[in-house]
Amino acid sequence: MESYTIQKLNGKLGVLIVGLNGAISSTFLAGVFAIQKGLAKPIGSLTQMGTVRIGKRSDNNFPLIKDFVPLTSVDDLIFGGWDIRDESCYEAAQYAKVLNENDLNNAAEELKSIKPMKGVFDQTYVKRLTGTYVKEGKTKYDLMMKLREDIQSFKTQHSLDRVVVIWAASTETFISVGEVHKTKEAFIKGMKNNHPEISPSMLYAYASIAEGAPYFNGSPSLSVDAPAIVEFANEMGVPVAGKDFKTGQTLVKTVIAPMLKARLLGLNGWFSTNILGNRDGEVLDDPGSFKTKEESKLSVIDSILQPELYPDLYGTYYHKVRINYYPPRGDNKEGWDNIDIFGWLGYPMQLKINFLCRDSILAAPIVLDLILFADLAKRSGMKGIQDWMSLFFKSPMHSDDVVPEHDLFIQMMKLKNTLRKLMNESPITHLDSNGIEH
Ligand SMILES: NC(=O)c1ccc[n+]([C@@H]2O[C@H](COP(=O)([O-])OP(=O)(O)OC[C@H]3O[C@@H](n4cnc5c(N)ncnc54)[C@H](O)[C@@H]3O)[C@@H](O)[C@H]2O)c1
């Protein structure tokens, strides 16, 4: 078995968030500060509250993940980032209206002290936003270099060895992989020539990798999911992952679809719709940004149900996903799923799911887990696409030679076995044979 050497923790971990003043970022930061002060528990965070079984089931050994693998402590994180509006994280959290006054006050001082650096932004890629606090540069290459300088000065300012970058900024318009994304040479030339298929999120991804910082993409935008950028990450020994935090409706889908398949229940149709009224909802109201999100949400069921292997059950189902911008709900999204299924002798049945969730409350712990696992991956010498973290993404990045894994429980098994492997423990296969469990 290949064994890993994990670099020892040395000093604090720098965290740079793109979209520092968004609903997710401000909710995440307020939570981390409350946790650091002992005023809240990290509910929803796998790294902080999750356990991992070691050895046989009868050994009864279930350490907390954070005690099993050497993760950076939540107390050792230093934050910064970029946004396109010049306001503190406190003002951003007030605008987002996710948290009540008490939770805001608990973190007020820290949130007020965090201000973003100017972002790289172009309205061509996010039609519904206007950037008032943005970097200027003649070419996309110049802008990328400015982002690199920001990362360097953040490291110097806080005397940091390690930095991770996470994209929690708005969803960009749909871009598919083209020639300019295929090789590093074409991509660099494209940045210098202001190629229209190079969006700001790709510049952040490239700059982070160039600075040796893992880059994780929480939006469905292409960003780091371009062959040239992945190739660059491999070359630089930098872990990357994405896309699109798996939080609400898709999280539920990746549990229900495996259930249908496990029982060989057929599917006639799956209609998902939801209402939300935060800024993300406003951005997704633009058809270009919605298309990016739609592609990410649609791929899930097909990949779990494998219609090509089960044509009688899943060969012809109708799948529709709608997102409706509805301001009165703010961040408190409501999702409805109507699932038309069929069983023995083709008799029809229905499942109805009504999820009254809170977008940023579901996303915040994922941000924390990704930051800590990204740093662990880097310290362990892992590089390129980290598909063991697909648990956290709606549309997990994967190499060309494998299909993505969407089933939440398989994703969880992958993640935990990766942690076991990192710590030189045997993977758990859940095989029972003659009373011997492997
Ligand atoms: N909340 C969820 O459940 C969830 C789930 C999956 C994905 N996402 C994605 O996460 C992202 C953030 O969501 P949110 O609700 O916090 O959105 P938000 O609109 O509240 O925040 C986005 C922030 O990004 C900033 N921004 C936009 N373009 C930028 C750029 N080029 N550089 C720097 N800053 C930029 C905006 O000014 C804003 O402050 C979105 O892409 C969303 O689709 C959210």
Side-chain angles (χ1 to χ4, degrees):
M1 192 162 68
E2 188 185 353
S3 71
Y4 287 90
T5 312
I6 308 177
Q7 218 178 71
K8 287 220 161 55
L9 289 164
N10 178 24
K12 304 231 175 205
L13 170 65
V15 178
L16 287 170
I17 307 179
V18 193
L20 186 68
N21 286 345
I24 295 181
S25 307
S26 53
T27 306
F28 160 70
L29 289 169
V32 168
F33 296 136
I35 292 161
Q36 288 176 344
K37 292 178 188 171
L39 299 171
K41 295 226 182 300
I43 295 174
S45 162
L46 182 66
T47 56
Q48 304 305 299
M49 300 189 99
T51 60
V52 53
R53 185 183 117 200
I54 306 302
K56 286 193 251 165
R57 208 165 356 148
S58 50
D59 290 350
N60 201 21
N61 185 11
F62 297 89
L64 282 170
I65 289 176
K66 67 174 178 167
D67 295 336
F68 177 60
V69 279
L71 295 173
T72 301
S73 155
V74 176
D75 294 331
D76 286 334
L77 303 175
I78 299 274
F79 298 103
W82 299 269
D83 209 291
I84 57 170
R85 287 188 328 270
D86 185 13
E87 55 188 31
S88 74
C89 277
Y90 182 75
E91 291 163 287
Q94 278 182 317
Y95 174 88
K97 293 195 188 67
V98 175
L99 301 174
N100 63 32
E101 216 177 309
N102 185 46
D103 288 323
L104 264 183
N105 288 341
N106 280 342
E109 201 184 312
E110 293 84 353
L111 289 175
K112 279 178 187 164
S113 72
I114 302 186
K115 293 215 165 105
M117 300 179 273
K118 282 185 178 171
V120 170
F121 180 77
D122 182 339
Q123 204 177 22
T124 318
Y125 303 92
V126 187
K127 296 277 185 308
R128 297 284 156 96
L129 294 186
T130 311
T132 52
Y133 184 63
V134 295
K135 291 194 193 309
E136 281 175 17
K138 255 169 100 182
T139 68
K140 296 187 177 185
Y141 188 85
D142 298 340
L143 291 167
M144 185 278 296
M145 290 304 284
K146 288 188 178 178
L147 291 171
R148 287 189 63 174
E149 284 163 23
D150 285 349
I151 299 172
Q152 289 160 12
S153 50
F154 177 71
K155 278 172 108 167
T156 312
Q157 188 192 346
H158 298 285
S159 313
L160 300 166
D161 278 347
R162 292 140 43 229
V163 169
V164 303
V165 178
I166 186 153
W167 176 278
S170 310
T171 300
E172 295 174 336
T173 198
F174 185 73
I175 300 175
S176 40
V177 174
E179 286 308 313
V180 71
H181 308 119
K182 288 206 174 135
T183 62
K184 201 173 107 189
E185 293 66 37
F187 191 80
I188 293 173
K189 196 169 155 215
M191 286 193 282
K192 291 184 173 165
N193 295 338
N194 289 331
H195 195 291
E197 282 173 7
I198 295 182
S199 68
S201 71
M202 296 176 197
L203 302 180
Y204 285 99
Y206 194 92
S208 306
I209 293 164
E211 289 305 316
Y215 178 93
F216 282 57
N217 174 21
S219 83
S221 311
L222 199 58
S223 192
V224 70
D225 197 10
I229 310 187
V230 172
E231 177 199 320
F232 186 39
N234 277 310
E235 188 187 308
M236 294 293 292
V238 172
V240 296
K243 311 180 288 221
D244 209 3
F245 300 129
K246 181 153 88 170
T247 49
Q249 219 162 22
T250 311
L251 176 67
V252 173
K253 251 178 204 171
T254 59
V255 172
I256 299 292
M259 177 193 84
L260 298 178
K261 191 170 147 195
R263 289 287 182 214
L264 286 314
L265 292 169
L267 181 69
N268 279 327
W270 196 316
F271 181 76
S272 306
T273 188
N274 58 60
I275 51 174
L276 87 161
N278 56 15
R279 191 184 277 132
D280 186 32
E282 191 177 351
V283 166
L284 296 174
D285 209 30
D286 168 67
S289 293
F290 174 70
K291 168 119 174 91
T292 310
K293 190 61 116 182
E294 190 186 28
E295 291 281 321
S296 166
K297 284 181 165 246
L298 279 177
S299 61
V300 169
I301 305 186
D302 249 14
S303 133
I304 293 176
L305 297 179
Q306 297 177 293
E308 67 290 356
L309 295 185
Y310 303 90
D312 294 334
L313 300 174
Y314 310 121
T316 56
Y317 67 81
Y318 184 85
H319 186 198
K320 187 85 187 165
V321 177
R322 298 299 314 151
I323 299 175
N324 304 284
Y325 177 52
Y326 179 61
R329 281 301 173 91
D331 203 64
N332 296 349
K333 175 152 78 185
E334 179 162 6
W336 292 268
D337 282 273
N338 171 72
I339 311 160
D340 286 296
I341 61 177
F342 57 90
W344 190 245
L345 298 179
Y347 278 83
M349 295 174 270
Q350 290 187 345
L351 263 169
K352 310 268 182 194
I353 299 168
N354 182 198
F355 192 6
L356 284 90
C357 61
R358 291 171 190 263
D359 250 7
S360 303
I361 296 296
L362 290 170
I366 294 185
V367 174
L368 177 61
D369 290 338
L370 286 174
I371 288 166
L372 301 184
F373 281 143
D375 175 54
L376 177 74
K378 177 79 194 301
R379 286 190 289 118
S380 309
M382 295 163 134
K383 58 184 182 181
I385 298 169
Q386 302 299 300
D387 69 356
W388 61 281
M389 294 191 212
S390 27
L391 177 80
F392 300 110
F393 297 109
K394 274 203 244 322
S395 186
M397 282 171 69
H398 56 94
S399 53
D400 288 342
D401 53 346
V402 291
V403 290
E405 182 52 68
H406 284 289
D407 178 325
L408 190 80
F409 299 107
I410 298 179
Q411 291 175 332
M412 181 62 103
M413 211 184 324
K414 266 164 83 87
L415 185 144
K416 290 192 175 175
N417 274 337
T418 305
L419 298 181
R420 291 180 186 110
K421 188 168 171 192
L422 272 177
M423 301 309 291
N424 299 318
E425 290 285 346
S426 305
I428 287 181
T429 60
H430 300 281
L431 261 181
D432 268 306
S433 137
N434 298 320
I436 301 164
E437 195 173 346
H438 299 274

